[in-house]
Amino acid sequence: MAKNNTRIRIIVAVAVIALITIGFATNGGIGTISAFGWSDISILCPLGALGTMLASKLFVPRAVIALVIVIVLIILLGRAFCAWACPVPLLQRIRGLFGKPAKPDAEAADDENLETAGADTTASGIAALSAAEAASLKGGCGSCAEKRGKLDSRHFILGGSLLSAAIFGFPVFCLVCPIGLTFAFILLVMRLFGSGDVTWSLVIIPLILIVELLVFRKWCSKLCPLAAFMSLFGFLNRTFRPQIDDSKCLVSAKGTSCTICAKVCPEGIDPRRPEESPVGMNECTKCRECVVNCPTQALKMPLLPKAKLPAGNDNDKQEEQAA
Amino acid sequence: MDSEKLQDTRTEATEAIEAAEAEKTAAAGASQPTAEGSEVASAEGGLLDRRSLMLGAGGAVVMLGLGGLQFVGSEPIIRPPGGQDEDRLVSACIRCEKCYEICPRNVIAPTHIEAGILNMRTPTLDFDDDYCDWCTEENGGDPLCAKVCPTTALALPAGADVLNTIIGKAVIKEDWCLAYRLIGCRFCYDACPYEAMTLDENNRPHVLTDICNGCGACESVCVSLQNGSISSGATARAIVVHPLDEAGQIILPSYFTGEGA
């Protein structure tokens, strides 16, 4: 099940690339991820929209409309783009093909990151468990105090790229954006074979991508300004949030210290104890790894947060099943 | 439920706890001061630990440095309809590739890095196989590239039409041109949709520069480079559309002035 989830995400990301490549081949007019849409209606990359207006000092109605649409999408879907449509995680899987043999669920993405994050939460979790248990049992995750995510390095890069665009007068981040470069490379390869268009760009673009994605391995969590933008508005997201059924969760129902959901989360969120996670729930990419890896299927990602059921009934059911 | 699975989970959790404890002890023994230091920093900053601060500041500096690339020279290039205001195009283009994709004749191409880092991936025109007819056949004379551009990097000023929007000017390199060897080739003359070319008494083509709008029809049919053995040393076609500078003067590439010309 867990493997399937990863596989589905790979398939979706590949399908997005394939669709855009077909668009290139057929002059379809769907654009790339940077300006996805039909003909003159595009969902413009929010960074591009802001960058272009700051750089040209012009009010561009299309860009403003696109920004509003993107923010609404972020409020509805959080950072789902990161886990499902972005080509970057897909490209980073290339790293898994070399080097150390892939771990089961190679997802074990950013291993050390998880380990340290996991260590923190577990250690403090153990100590606090008995004390916090009562509280978390009563409230569950739905009513936990909303953790305000911290600003991190990505937000600096977001600010720096917009400032640079305003000072130097062109959308600076677009030059090195790995999403844009991915599709630029696909287009150049098509032109190389289609019309014999030979250029050093064909060497430079993959080099930039390798430096960004394979050398800096934590592009998404430490550097990507697009992720930073999405995390800023992710605070407003309430839909598709991981929600724990306390009657099934091993921690609340059995009093064990299971931390599997926290360990598999590529963003380092602990759905059981979001307030103690290194990052807030606004970073959730809706990748569903916690849902599919939960040993008791206690996690769900409902469209809307569900009101808590009276705990008694469910506990009984759970015990019946266990017996 | 599944008791085996539960067992696994418990073991895993216990292992994690042990590992965490071991790590904590190690950290406590080995690097007490540093750990404490960063702890303090994050408490004081309230928002950031030292490492992300450094990384973020470094990244922001890189972004500002990339901005400085605008002072690195870039070569003048021809732009699709609506891209004639070079400053606007450079400041607004987010390199989204939408114009290349939509162009029904595939004449819009991403600029190569050879024309400058800043120009890389911005739109230019490649007249190797076809020319720009302002989408007359495909969209009734309303250029699709300017229509779909989401950031108005390509935007036609009011009153712009196919005749008064000058993409560039065609120039013949006479010593590469077959007609100037009196071979009688007149493909470019026949291709010109705007009667911007004439033939002289020896049937050699000339560009009427005042009329030429740089559509590229002549360049797209020129056979000189395909017959490289005839025009030895040629690195481009004998008739090519070149960009204009701000004063409206044609900017010619080095092969017009170099020796062997």
Coordinates of all heavy atoms in Angstrom, one line a residue, chain B residues 216-257:
Chain B
G216 N 11.0 37.1 -42.3 CA 11.8 35.9 -42.4 C 11.5 35.0 -43.5 O 12.1 33.9 -43.6
A217 N 10.5 35.3 -44.4 CA 10.1 34.4 -45.5 C 11.3 34.2 -46.4 O 11.6 33.1 -46.8 CB 9.0 35.1 -46.3
C218 N 12.1 35.2 -46.7 CA 13.3 35.1 -47.5 C 14.3 34.2 -46.9 O 14.8 33.3 -47.6 CB 13.9 36.5 -47.8 SG 14.2 37.4 -46.4
E219 N 14.6 34.4 -45.6 CA 15.6 33.6 -44.9 C 15.1 32.1 -44.9 O 16.0 31.2 -45.1 CB 15.8 34.1 -43.5 CG 16.8 33.3 -42.7 CD 17.0 33.9 -41.3 OE1 16.7 35.1 -41.1 OE2 17.4 33.1 -40.4
S220 N 13.8 31.9 -44.8 CA 13.4 30.5 -44.6 C 13.5 29.7 -45.9 O 13.5 28.4 -45.8 CB 11.9 30.4 -44.1 OG 11.0 30.9 -45.1
V221 N 13.6 30.4 -47.0 CA 13.7 29.6 -48.3 C 15.1 29.6 -48.9 O 15.4 29.0 -49.9 CB 12.7 30.1 -49.4 CG1 11.3 29.9 -48.9 CG2 12.9 31.6 -49.7
C222 N 16.0 30.4 -48.3 CA 17.4 30.6 -48.9 C 18.1 29.2 -48.9 O 18.1 28.5 -47.9 CB 18.2 31.6 -48.1 SG 19.8 31.8 -48.7
V223 N 18.7 28.9 -50.0 CA 19.3 27.6 -50.2 C 20.8 27.7 -50.0 O 21.5 26.6 -50.2 CB 19.0 26.9 -51.5 CG1 17.5 26.6 -51.6 CG2 19.4 27.8 -52.7
S224 N 21.4 28.8 -49.8 CA 22.8 29.0 -49.9 C 23.6 28.0 -48.9 O 24.6 27.5 -49.3 CB 23.2 30.4 -49.6 OG 22.9 30.7 -48.3
L225 N 23.0 27.9 -47.7 CA 23.8 27.1 -46.7 C 23.7 25.6 -47.0 O 24.6 24.8 -46.7 CB 23.3 27.4 -45.3 CG 24.4 27.1 -44.2 CD1 25.6 27.8 -44.4 CD2 23.8 27.3 -42.8
Q226 N 22.5 25.2 -47.6 CA 22.4 23.8 -47.9 C 23.4 23.5 -49.0 O 23.8 22.3 -49.2 CB 21.0 23.5 -48.4 CG 19.9 23.4 -47.3 CD 19.2 24.7 -47.2 OE1 19.8 25.8 -47.1 NE2 17.8 24.6 -47.1
N227 N 23.8 24.5 -49.8 CA 24.7 24.2 -50.9 C 26.1 24.8 -50.4 O 26.7 25.6 -51.1 CB 24.3 24.9 -52.2 CG 23.0 24.2 -52.7 OD1 23.1 23.1 -53.2 ND2 21.9 24.8 -52.5
G228 N 26.5 24.4 -49.3 CA 27.7 24.9 -48.7 C 28.9 24.8 -49.6 O 29.9 25.6 -49.5
S229 N 29.0 23.8 -50.4 CA 30.2 23.6 -51.3 C 30.3 24.7 -52.3 O 31.3 25.1 -52.7 CB 30.1 22.2 -52.0 OG 28.8 22.2 -52.7
I230 N 29.1 25.3 -52.6 CA 29.2 26.4 -53.5 C 29.6 27.7 -52.8 O 30.5 28.4 -53.2 CB 27.8 26.6 -54.2 CG1 27.4 25.3 -54.9 CG2 27.8 27.8 -55.2 CD1 25.9 25.3 -55.4
S231 N 28.9 28.0 -51.7 CA 29.2 29.2 -50.9 C 30.2 28.8 -49.8 O 29.8 28.6 -48.7 CB 28.0 29.8 -50.3 OG 27.0 29.9 -51.2
S232 N 31.4 28.5 -50.2 CA 32.4 28.0 -49.2 C 32.6 29.0 -48.1 O 32.6 30.2 -48.3 CB 33.7 27.7 -49.9 OG 34.3 28.9 -50.3
G233 N 32.7 28.5 -46.9 CA 33.0 29.4 -45.7 C 31.7 30.0 -45.1 O 31.8 30.7 -44.1
A234 N 30.6 29.7 -45.7 CA 29.3 30.3 -45.2 C 29.0 29.7 -43.8 O 29.1 28.5 -43.6 CB 28.2 30.1 -46.1
T235 N 28.6 30.5 -42.8 CA 28.2 30.0 -41.5 C 26.7 30.4 -41.3 O 26.2 30.0 -40.3 CB 29.0 30.7 -40.4 OG1 28.9 32.1 -40.6 CG2 30.5 30.3 -40.5
A236 N 26.1 31.1 -42.2 CA 24.7 31.4 -42.1 C 24.1 31.4 -43.5 O 24.9 31.4 -44.5 CB 24.5 32.7 -41.4
R237 N 22.8 31.6 -43.6 CA 22.3 31.7 -44.9 C 22.7 33.1 -45.5 O 23.1 34.0 -44.8 CB 20.7 31.6 -44.8 CG 20.4 30.2 -44.4 CD 18.9 29.9 -44.4 NE 18.7 28.5 -43.9 CZ 17.5 27.9 -43.8 NH1 16.5 28.6 -44.2 NH2 17.4 26.7 -43.4
A238 N 22.5 33.2 -46.8 CA 23.0 34.4 -47.5 C 22.0 35.6 -47.2 O 22.4 36.7 -47.3 CB 23.1 34.2 -49.0
I239 N 20.8 35.3 -46.9 CA 19.9 36.4 -46.5 C 19.3 36.0 -45.1 O 18.7 35.0 -44.9 CB 18.8 36.6 -47.6 CG1 17.9 37.8 -47.2 CG2 17.9 35.4 -47.8 CD1 17.1 38.4 -48.3
V240 N 19.5 36.9 -44.2 CA 19.2 36.7 -42.8 C 18.6 38.0 -42.2 O 19.0 39.1 -42.6 CB 20.4 36.3 -42.0 CG1 20.1 36.3 -40.5 CG2 21.0 35.0 -42.4
V241 N 17.6 37.8 -41.4 CA 16.9 38.9 -40.7 C 17.8 39.3 -39.5 O 18.1 38.5 -38.6 CB 15.5 38.6 -40.3 CG1 14.9 39.8 -39.5 CG2 14.6 38.2 -41.5
H242 N 18.2 40.6 -39.4 CA 19.0 41.0 -38.3 C 18.2 42.0 -37.5 O 17.4 42.8 -38.0 CB 20.3 41.7 -38.8 CG 21.1 40.7 -39.6 ND1 21.8 39.7 -39.0 CD2 21.4 40.6 -40.9 CE1 22.4 38.9 -39.9 NE2 22.2 39.5 -41.1
P243 N 18.5 42.1 -36.2 CA 17.8 43.0 -35.3 C 18.2 44.5 -35.5 O 19.3 44.7 -36.1 CB 18.1 42.5 -33.9 CG 19.5 41.9 -34.1 CD 19.5 41.3 -35.4
L244 N 17.4 45.4 -35.1 CA 17.7 46.8 -35.1 C 18.1 47.3 -33.7 O 17.7 46.7 -32.7 CB 16.4 47.6 -35.5 CG 15.8 47.2 -36.9 CD1 14.6 48.1 -37.1 CD2 16.8 47.4 -38.0
D245 N 19.0 48.3 -33.7 CA 19.3 48.9 -32.4 C 18.2 50.0 -32.1 O 17.3 50.2 -32.8 CB 20.7 49.4 -32.3 CG 20.9 50.6 -33.3 OD1 19.9 51.1 -33.8 OD2 22.1 50.9 -33.6
E246 N 18.4 50.6 -30.9 CA 17.4 51.6 -30.5 C 17.2 52.7 -31.5 O 16.1 53.3 -31.6 CB 17.7 52.1 -29.1 CG 17.3 51.2 -28.0 CD 17.9 51.4 -26.7 OE1 18.4 52.6 -26.5 OE2 18.0 50.5 -25.9
A247 N 18.3 53.0 -32.2 CA 18.2 54.1 -33.2 C 17.6 53.7 -34.5 O 17.5 54.5 -35.5 CB 19.6 54.8 -33.4
G248 N 17.3 52.4 -34.6 CA 16.7 51.9 -35.8 C 17.8 51.4 -36.9 O 17.4 51.1 -38.0
Q249 N 19.0 51.4 -36.4 CA 20.1 50.9 -37.3 C 20.2 49.4 -37.3 O 20.0 48.8 -36.2 CB 21.4 51.5 -36.9 CG 21.5 53.0 -37.1 CD 21.3 53.5 -38.5 OE1 22.0 53.0 -39.4 NE2 20.4 54.4 -38.7
I250 N 20.5 48.8 -38.4 CA 20.6 47.3 -38.5 C 21.9 46.9 -37.8 O 22.9 47.5 -38.0 CB 20.6 46.8 -39.9 CG1 19.3 47.3 -40.6 CG2 20.7 45.3 -40.0 CD1 19.3 47.0 -42.1
I251 N 21.8 45.9 -36.9 CA 23.0 45.4 -36.2 C 23.4 44.2 -36.9 O 22.8 43.2 -37.0 CB 22.6 45.1 -34.7 CG1 22.0 46.3 -34.0 CG2 23.9 44.6 -34.0 CD1 21.4 45.9 -32.7
L252 N 24.6 44.3 -37.6 CA 25.1 43.2 -38.4 C 26.1 42.4 -37.6 O 26.9 42.9 -36.8 CB 25.8 43.7 -39.6 CG 24.9 44.4 -40.7 CD1 25.7 45.0 -41.8 CD2 23.8 43.4 -41.2
P253 N 26.0 41.0 -37.8 CA 27.0 40.2 -37.0 C 28.4 40.3 -37.6 O 28.6 40.9 -38.7 CB 26.4 38.8 -37.3 CG 25.6 38.9 -38.5 CD 25.1 40.3 -38.6
S254 N 29.3 39.7 -36.9 CA 30.8 39.9 -37.2 C 31.1 39.4 -38.6 O 32.0 39.8 -39.2 CB 31.6 39.2 -36.1 OG 31.2 37.9 -36.0
Y255 N 30.3 38.4 -39.1 CA 30.8 37.8 -40.4 C 30.6 38.8 -41.6 O 31.1 38.5 -42.7 CB 30.1 36.5 -40.7 CG 28.6 36.4 -40.8 CD1 27.9 37.0 -41.9 CD2 27.8 35.8 -39.9 CE1 26.5 36.9 -42.0 CE2 26.4 35.7 -40.0 CZ 25.8 36.3 -41.1 OH 24.4 36.2 -41.2
F256 N 30.0 39.9 -41.3 CA 29.9 40.9 -42.4 C 31.2 41.7 -42.4 O 31.5 42.3 -43.5 CB 28.7 41.9 -42.1 CG 27.4 41.4 -42.8 CD1 26.6 40.5 -42.1 CD2 27.1 41.7 -44.1 CE1 25.5 40.0 -42.6 CE2 25.9 41.2 -44.6 CZ 25.1 40.4 -43.9
T257 N 31.8 41.8 -41.3 CA 33.0 42.7 -41.3 C 34.3 41.9 -41.3 O 35.3 42.4 -41.7 CB 33.0 43.6 -40.0 OG1 32.7 42.7 -38.9 CG2 31.9 44.7 -40.1

